[in-house]
Structure formats: C-alpha cells, structure tokens
Amino acid sequence: MNHQLAKRLRTRPITRVRTGCFTCRRRKKRCEEQKPVCRGCMRNKLTCEWPADSSSPHTCATQTVELSPTATTSQDQEKLSPTATTFQDQEIQATDLLDSHIDMSPPLDLDRQNRGSPRYSRSTYVWSVLPLPSPLASPASSAIDAAVTGNMETNDEQQAEEMFSRRVSYASSAGERVPGQELELRDDVTIRGSLMRGISLLPGYDDESYELLNHYLSTTADCMANGSSPINPFLVQIVPLAFASDLLLQLVLTQSAAHRAFRRLGDVDTVAQYQYTKALHRFRRGISEFIDDGVEATPLLLAIGALLMCFTEVSAICLSLSIFLSTALSILSFNTNRNT
Amino acid sequence: MDGTIFDHLSAANLLLLRLVSQPDLVVSKDLKDFVIEYHTYTASVSLVSIDVRINPQALLNFELEQHARQLLNREYVGNLCGCWLELLLLIPCIFDWSRPWVISGDGEQPTMPTADDFAMFASLQGQILRWSPFSWVTPEVSLAGRIFQQAMLLYLYTASSCFQRVENGMYQVMVDSAAAQAMSYLDQLPATVRINSGLCWPIAVVGSCLSDPLQQDRLRCRLKAMAEAFGLGNMRRTLILLEHMWRMPPGKSGPWTICQAMQEHHIWISFA
C-alpha cells in the first residue's frame, strides 16, 4: 500500500495553481487568495499581484506586471536586502523576476535557420540565454559556492554579500520594468532600454565591460563553439562561472575584446591589450594566492582560467605580456610537484 | 620552442586532475566533461606546433587522457571535439611514436624503425581507417569528422618522410590520396558554416602537404572566407603559415615541419 502511494505521489504531475496570485503561481505555492495581499506573500514579504480580472483562471500574456523597482529607495533596497528576508526567499524573488521575463520572451531558437552563419546576431536572445547563477538551480554555481566556501571562513561575509549582491543585481536588472508600463517583450529596443535603466549588471565594471560581455554572449561564444551539440558550453558553463569569479569574468571580457578587435581592424587594439593586461594580473594574483595560502578554493577557477587563457591566444595572439604568465605558471607547477 | 599556450596547458594538467576528482555534487558532470574535452582538444591539436623533443605527457598526461577515453564510451559529442574525440586521442600516440626519427635533422641518418614500430604504425593506421562518425550526428559534423580523419592519416604517413622513398612511389600516392580526399570533403562544406571553427588543425596539416598551386589557392580562399566570417586570429595566421610553407623547397613542407616554420617566421598559432 505504502509503495503504491509513494508511486502515485511520484508520478503525480506538478500542477500549477490557476486561481491564486501571480507570485504564488510562479513559486508553485498554494495561494489562500486573501486580497489585496495573500498570506504567502505577506509572510515572505513578496509583491502580491492579481490579474485584472481575478475571476479568470487564465493568465493574460499582455497583463501589466508591476514589479518592485530596484534600488531607488531604502524600502526597495530592503526588499532585496539579505537581512530583510531569508536568502532562499531572495533567490526565489530574484529567480521569479527573471523567470517572468524568460517566460514571456520570444522562444530561444537554438536551431535557427541561419545558424550556419556566425554573423547572425543573437543579441535578441542575450538575456534569455544568460542563466541565473543560483545555488539552488545551477550545478556550476554549486561548484562556485564550494570554491567560495574555502574563503567563507576567513573573509567572508563581505565576499558573500558582494557575490550575492551581484547575483541579485543581475536578476533585478534583468527583470526590471517601469511600473505601470505595458511590457513589450517582443520589442528588442524596449528590452535593451529597460535593462540599461537598471542597476549595473557588472558592479565595479564600466560600460565598456558591459559591451564586451554582450559581444561575448552574442558573437564570441558562438564563434568558439563549432555547433556540434546544441548547448554551447562557452555560454552555459563559462558564463555562470564568470559571474562568480573576477578572474574568469576578466578572461571572458579579454576574449571578447580580442575577438572584437580582430573583426574590426584585423589586429589587437588598445582595449584588448588593456583587458589582457588585467587578465594576466588577476591570473597571477590567483596563482599567488593558491601557492602562498595553499587554499583549495581556487583550483577550479584557476584551471578553467588557464584553459580560457589558451583560447585568448586563439582570438588574437598577444605574446608581449605573456612572460609574466609563463613565470607564474612555472612557479605553480614547481609548487604543485613539491607538495605531491 | 614553447609558446604561451603550452605553459597554460602544463599548469592546467595538474589543476584539472583536482577538478575532475571532485564529486559530482561539487563540480557538475557536464562541467567536468566540458573541461576534459577542452583540455584534451587544446593539448592534442597544439602538439603539431611544438618541438618533437618535448614529451607529450607534458601537455596531456595519462590520467587526463583516461578521463577523455571515458567520454568515448558515452559517444560524447562536443563543441570543440565534435564527434572525432577518438581521433584527437591518437595525436599524442602518433607524436610519441614518431619522435625517434622525426628528431633527426637534415643530413642525419634517421633511427632505423623496429618491428614494434611497424606494428604500432599498423595499429594506428587501422584505428584511423576504422573510425567513422556517429550515425546520429548532423551531416556537417560528419563531414568535419571525415576531414579530420584524412588529416590524421597524413599526420601518420608523413612521420616517416625522413626515410628514403621513390619519387611518386607508394608513399607519395598515399599522401596525395589522403590530401585529395580531405580537399574533396572540404569542398562539400561551406566555409562559413559554424563547424569550420574547429577545422584549423586539419586544414593546416592538409595544407602543408599540398604542392599543387590550384589546390593551394582553394585552401587560401577558404581560410580567407573563414577568417572573414568568424574573426578568429588563428584562421588568418594559419593562412600566413601555409603561405610560408608553400614556399619551402619541394618535399620539405609537411605537418612535421609546421613547428619549424612557426619558429622561423615567428608565427604562433593555437590550432584550437
């Protein structure tokens, strides 16, 4: 009997709540339908929103969705502050913001007809492609967290908060809308406009970095993968790691800069050189920390960083600054052999 | 001579072993697979650019190679190795097998191959000839795999180019046949198709064996089109390298003189 019950439970399909508020539907939670704020939203301090015609069980795709604008008031900040709610609730909220954007966006066509042409711009789908780094959802992010955990005991709350802020800022800006404005998700300009008005996707990085990241997402990653399989690891694997590591993010930006420079002028330009210099400095620092501190938190990122450096050479050969890297890597190899 | 990329690969060896030994809960299987593919691909195709006196284990050590072979058991197809991972793993074998006589310079008598060397040659050739693309991959991926296959044969055959041979004898027939077959496959694959981003290595190997000006021009046009479409530096530099090699004395140009040409003309390419 118990086996049958368990089997029935396992095979029972997940059903969405059809009459609850939007927030409960997205969270797949039972909504007790108190208005104006249901008990679930009140308890978790979430925005409780209802269809205009709340008697209709169906969601209208063009219904105005008013989400909390971000970072303009202390109250708004508190909504996304780690101290206001639990971490998981924040992640769910941040996830919900992005999910609602993705749900209503044009379908991602991985098998687009003109896939063979690398000139085809994927900028329309940039933000749909970009996965949200979440410890709950992404195996890559679980690796990131494990890597970070090594630092958690020493320098930690600040680092964790910075990383958290980066994730939440990313999700918030990806899902931000002007309150009361009907969403035109099929309009590329509106998507970009709403994104540009948000909190910086890359706190601490300038507009140039933002453009380089966009270029990587829309062009460079496509050119580096040969398309043999539909999932591009230079997006799906590398990008989440880049959002959790300054080193990998810098390497991604460097690749993009070198690639962009070559496409424009056929050679490396000052932007690419600058990004490459920064990448080398970060890499050296990462290696030094690994060697000096013996911290096991960084080998994942260093290993992938080393591989990305190889592909940076593919994008555009830039050997003038490589002497430092060669020296650092020699030290790393010597130290690793000494310890084994 | 070492290029920068080889330092990255050497260091990555040690770090990657730690990475792949992590449980799947810490590092996802997909990420591990990708990293193994990434490293195997980059290390293998980079061997053509380095001095044969270097031990290939410095770039791709045995343990990582075994991890890569486990991917084969699952019919792994990746965005770098395509469906030809099995062929890529033969590159270090050929590299290692050929070192005794490739090392010998001009004018020196190459080391006489042993019976074991002949047996190894037969085994390598057999593995390459038996390989075929997975039935379920797209035609483009399948064609690219066939191009790699012909390039691998050229890589294997030309390892014995230091020995005496008859002009237009069996050796030359086999080399010309493999090169022609590779060019035929390339002609069936448009230059702007995405799969071309992974064809720098076979194009360099095949191109280094071409002596016919018409075939050289076909390859020249193709590389220009690829560089224009993809904007990757290695494609343009592959063409520059081949232009230098095509100016070498007859019979001197080949996959095993790519390294020498790169050194002489200071052309550093990652064929990845």
Side-chain angles (χ1 to χ4, degrees):
Chain A
M1 176 67 94
N2 286 339
H3 173 70
Q4 286 177 350
L5 177 63
K7 186 177 179 183
R8 194 162 53 244
L9 287 172
R10 279 200 300 273
T11 56
R12 186 174 63 192
I14 298 171
T15 54
R16 288 183 184 272
V17 173
R18 291 181 179 275
T19 56
C21 69
F22 280 128
T23 308
C24 286
R25 293 188 205 185
R26 283 194 297 270
R27 296 175 64 223
K28 298 187 178 66
K29 299 292 185 186
R30 181 168 178 236
C31 182
E32 297 185 6
E33 303 188 42
Q34 293 90 350
K35 292 180 182 177
V37 181
C38 72
R39 197 169 294 172
C41 291
M42 186 181 295
R43 184 173 61 250
N44 295 298
K45 297 191 175 79
L46 300 173
T47 305
C48 188
E49 297 169 338
W50 295 89
D53 177 12
S54 58
S55 62
S56 167
H58 303 292
T59 303
C60 174
T62 58
Q63 180 64 46
T64 300
V65 176
E66 180 171 337
L67 299 172
S68 305
T70 55
T72 53
T73 65
S74 59
Q75 188 178 9
D76 292 331
Q77 286 180 328
E78 189 181 340
K79 286 182 181 176
L80 296 176
S81 164
T83 59
T85 63
T86 64
F87 178 84
Q88 285 183 332
D89 290 334
Q90 290 294 327
E91 284 291 319
I92 289 170
Q93 183 181 17
T95 307
D96 290 345
L97 291 173
L98 188 57
D99 283 348
S100 63
H101 169 76
I102 289 174
D103 287 344
M104 297 168 76
S105 66
L108 183 62
D109 179 15
L110 288 172
D111 293 318
R112 60 188 185 276
Q113 284 185 349
N114 52 343
R115 179 184 180 188
S117 169
R119 289 193 178 279
Y120 175 70
S121 171
R122 297 184 66 215
S123 58
T124 306
Y125 307 116
V126 163
W127 303 114
S128 298
V129 170
L130 199 57
L132 174 68
S134 163
L136 303 178
S138 166
S141 296
S142 66
I144 297 164
D145 286 338
V148 170
T149 301
N151 287 329
M152 287 289 285
E153 295 172 357
T154 54
N155 187 11
D156 307 311
E157 290 185 3
Q158 189 177 0
Q159 274 193 357
E161 275 211 29
E162 281 175 4
M163 187 173 299
F164 173 76
S165 298
R166 174 183 284 175
R167 291 182 186 176
V168 172
S169 297
Y170 156 71
S172 305
S173 61
E176 179 196 337
R177 294 164 186 82
V178 175
Q181 182 180 12
E182 185 164 340
L183 187 60
E184 298 271 350
L185 278 169
R186 297 190 183 277
D187 181 343
D188 296 348
V189 175
T190 305
I191 291 174
R192 293 198 191 104
S194 66
L195 288 171
M196 295 300 285
R197 281 194 290 273
I199 298 174
S200 171
L201 179 63
L202 305 172
Y205 289 82
D206 56 13
D207 290 345
E208 182 76 57
S209 301
Y210 186 90
E211 287 182 23
L212 287 174
L213 179 62
N214 198 18
H215 182 265
Y216 177 86
L217 295 171
S218 61
T219 308
T220 305
D222 265 359
C223 290
M224 293 173 63
N226 65 25
S228 293
S229 63
I231 297 181
N232 186 345
F234 290 100
L235 292 173
V236 173
Q237 300 294 343
I238 299 297
V239 171
L241 293 175
F243 271 97
S245 162
D246 283 334
L247 168 62
L248 295 189
L249 180 59
Q250 187 57 56
L251 287 168
V252 164
L253 297 179
T254 303
Q255 274 184 299
S256 178
H259 185 222
R260 188 182 69 175
F262 185 83
R263 291 173 71 93
R264 284 176 178 177
L265 304 171
D267 210 338
V268 180
D269 64 8
T270 52
V271 171
Q273 291 278 2
Y274 170 70
Q275 297 291 345
Y276 190 64
T277 305
K278 284 179 69 176
L280 281 177
H281 284 312
R282 286 191 197 276
F283 197 74
R284 286 174 62 199
R285 192 169 64 206
I287 290 174
S288 298
E289 287 171 359
F290 177 73
I291 293 173
D292 295 339
D293 301 341
V295 177
E296 285 293 327
T298 55
L300 163 69
L301 301 174
L302 282 179
I304 295 177
L307 292 178
L308 284 179
M309 292 296 293
C310 297
F311 264 66
T312 303
E313 310 294 338
V314 172
S315 297
I317 307 299
C318 182
L319 295 176
S320 59
L321 304 176
S322 64
I323 295 172
F324 304 109
L325 178 61
S326 302
T327 306
L329 289 174
S330 298
I331 295 171
L332 173 62
S333 298
F334 173 77
N335 185 74
T336 306
N337 284 331
R338 187 182 60 188
N339 291 337
T340 53
Chain B
M1 183 184 295
D2 291 336
T4 307
I5 192 170
F6 311 121
D7 298 317
H8 307 327
L9 289 169
S10 298
N13 263 324
L14 306 161
L15 298 166
L16 287 174
L17 283 172
R18 294 181 196 225
L19 187 157
V20 300
S21 65
Q22 300 285 331
D24 288 356
L25 284 177
V26 176
V27 180
S28 74
K29 200 168 189 323
D30 287 345
L31 179 59
K32 280 194 257 188
D33 289 349
F34 172 57
V35 166
I36 291 169
E37 174 199 2
Y38 200 145
H39 183 74
T40 303
Y41 170 75
T42 310
S44 296
V45 301
S46 298
L47 282 173
V48 78
S49 315
I50 70 170
D51 193 323
V52 293
R53 284 166 289 192
I54 293 176
N55 188 337
Q57 287 272 312
L59 295 189
L60 177 63
N61 73 21
F62 181 74
E63 285 184 64
L64 281 174
E65 187 180 330
Q66 294 310 302
H67 283 290
R69 291 197 182 280
Q70 288 172 14
L71 294 181
L72 288 179
N73 297 336
R74 293 191 270 125
E75 293 194 345
Y76 182 85
V77 173
N79 270 271
L80 293 172
C81 69
C83 63
W84 52 88
L85 178 61
E86 185 178 349
L87 294 176
L88 288 173
L89 287 169
L90 292 176
I91 295 177
C93 302
I94 297 173
F95 184 92
D96 208 24
W97 166 77
S98 67
R99 284 163 74 211
W101 39 85
V102 175
I103 283 176
S104 58
D106 287 337
E108 292 180 25
Q109 195 67 10
T111 309
M112 185 60 64
T114 65
D116 294 318
D117 293 329
F118 283 112
M120 178 60 80
F121 173 87
S123 172
L124 290 168
Q125 185 191 33
Q127 288 181 67
I128 296 171
L129 289 173
R130 276 194 302 273
W131 179 88
S132 64
F134 302 126
S135 58
W136 48 269
V137 297
T138 64
E140 293 164 355
V141 176
S142 179
L143 266 176
R146 290 295 184 190
I147 294 168
F148 248 97
Q149 185 182 34
Q150 297 305 312
M152 289 293 297
L153 286 173
L154 286 170
Y155 191 56
L156 176 65
Y157 296 155
T158 53
S160 58
S161 61
C162 58
F163 295 105
Q164 281 187 334
R165 58 183 185 270
V166 176
E167 189 174 348
N168 296 324
M170 185 69 172
Y171 166 86
Q172 196 60 49
V173 167
M174 289 173 72
V175 167
D176 290 345
S177 173
Q181 187 65 267
M183 293 298 290
S184 168
Y185 287 133
L186 277 170
D187 287 341
Q188 297 175 47
L189 196 62
T192 55
V193 171
R194 201 172 165 197
I195 198 77
N196 283 277
S197 68
L199 292 184
C200 271
W201 186 89
I203 286 177
V205 167
V206 172
S208 66
C209 298
L210 296 179
S211 55
D212 178 31
L214 288 176
Q215 286 183 319
Q216 291 173 356
D217 197 53
R218 280 161 60 193
L219 211 54
R220 182 181 291 118
C221 292
R222 184 184 192 88
L223 281 169
K224 283 182 180 175
M226 285 167 58
E228 172 70 22
F230 293 90
L232 293 174
N234 62 343
M235 294 172 180
R236 191 180 72 168
R237 284 175 176 80
T238 298
L239 177 58
I240 295 172
L241 174 71
L242 286 175
E243 296 284 8
H244 284 295
M245 297 194 75
W246 290 332
R247 288 194 283 270
M248 283 181 168
K252 288 293 182 185
S253 174
W256 298 94
T257 51
I258 285 178
C259 173
Q260 177 188 344
M262 289 172 69
Q263 291 179 29
E264 284 178 0
H265 301 286
H266 303 286
I267 303 170
W268 299 109
I269 308 174
S270 164
F271 291 104

